Amino acid sequence: LHRSLNYSSKIRGESTDIYWHPPAGSKAEFLRLRKGRLYTQLTLKSQDLGLVFNRVEIDIDSTTSSKNISHFLDYIGTRAKNLIHKRYFVLWLNSDQTSSVSYYIITVGNTRRPEVFVEIEGETEESVISQTSKVSEILCREGVYDRAEH
């Protein structure tokens, strides 16, 4: 993908994400603790209407250890629901980093079989549709994706 798309910058890395169910009565969809090599981040996600350009994510960067944050979330009554380890490669398609194509290799829980997926994000539905079309064409041309199967 990175050879075929015009992009302004790119990043790569890996993290381990732990997901919790939100406390009862909360409007949140989930709480996520992301543990990277050099950072810890707590995210609350809500109001996802199924589209990448209209979701609400509140990120809190922290120097507090991820173990302390995990204990705090357990203490307030949330239940851990999943652990995901991922490696990622993100192509930012514009200089203000509002549109991207991300390639993920994830392992869920204790499974040893990784899964691969591509995520396309943008500010508007039109930008997401346009980038999805471009990425689909590239993947079809490379023999990685078959539209007839999807």
Side-chain angles (χ1 to χ4, degrees), residues 15-20 30-44 57-66 69-70 73 86 88:
S15 69
T16 299
D17 297 352
I18 304 170
Y19 289 83
W20 279 268
F30 65 76
L31 295 165
R32 175 183 63 215
L33 177 63
R34 176 164 287 157
K35 299 185 290 185
R37 198 169 58 100
L38 301 173
Y39 67 93
T40 301
Q41 183 183 62
L42 183 63
T43 297
L44 175 124
E57 287 189 14
I58 301 168
D59 295 322
I60 302 168
D61 295 321
S62 177
T63 56
T64 304
S65 79
S66 58
I69 294 172
S70 294
L73 292 171
K86 68 181 176 185
Y88 57 86

Side-chain angles (χ1 to χ4, degrees), residues 24-115:
S26 171
K27 293 182 181 179
E29 181 182 335
F30 65 76
L31 295 165
R32 175 183 63 215
L33 177 63
R34 176 164 287 157
K35 299 185 290 185
R37 198 169 58 100
L38 301 173
Y39 67 93
T40 301
Q41 183 183 62
L42 183 63
T43 297
L44 175 124
K45 182 176 176 184
S46 66
Q47 299 177 0
D48 189 340
L49 302 176
L51 304 170
V52 295
F53 47 85
N54 61 5
R55 65 181 177 199
V56 174
E57 287 189 14
I58 301 168
D59 295 322
I60 302 168
D61 295 321
S62 177
T63 56
T64 304
S65 79
S66 58
K67 189 174 186 177
N68 286 344
I69 294 172
S70 294
H71 287 310
F72 171 77
L73 292 171
D74 291 338
Y75 185 76
I76 64 171
T78 61
R79 296 182 338 266
K81 64 179 182 177
N82 220 344
L83 178 122
I84 295 175
H85 180 78
K86 68 181 176 185
R87 290 180 290 151
Y88 57 86
F89 188 81
V90 179
L91 301 174
W92 295 105
L93 303 176
N94 52 13
S95 59
D96 59 2
Q97 297 187 342
T98 55
S99 296
S100 64
V101 174
S102 303
Y103 177 85
Y104 294 97
I105 301 170
I106 64 167
T107 306
V108 178
N110 293 325
T111 63
R112 297 285 181 223
R113 188 172 154 254
E115 297 179 30

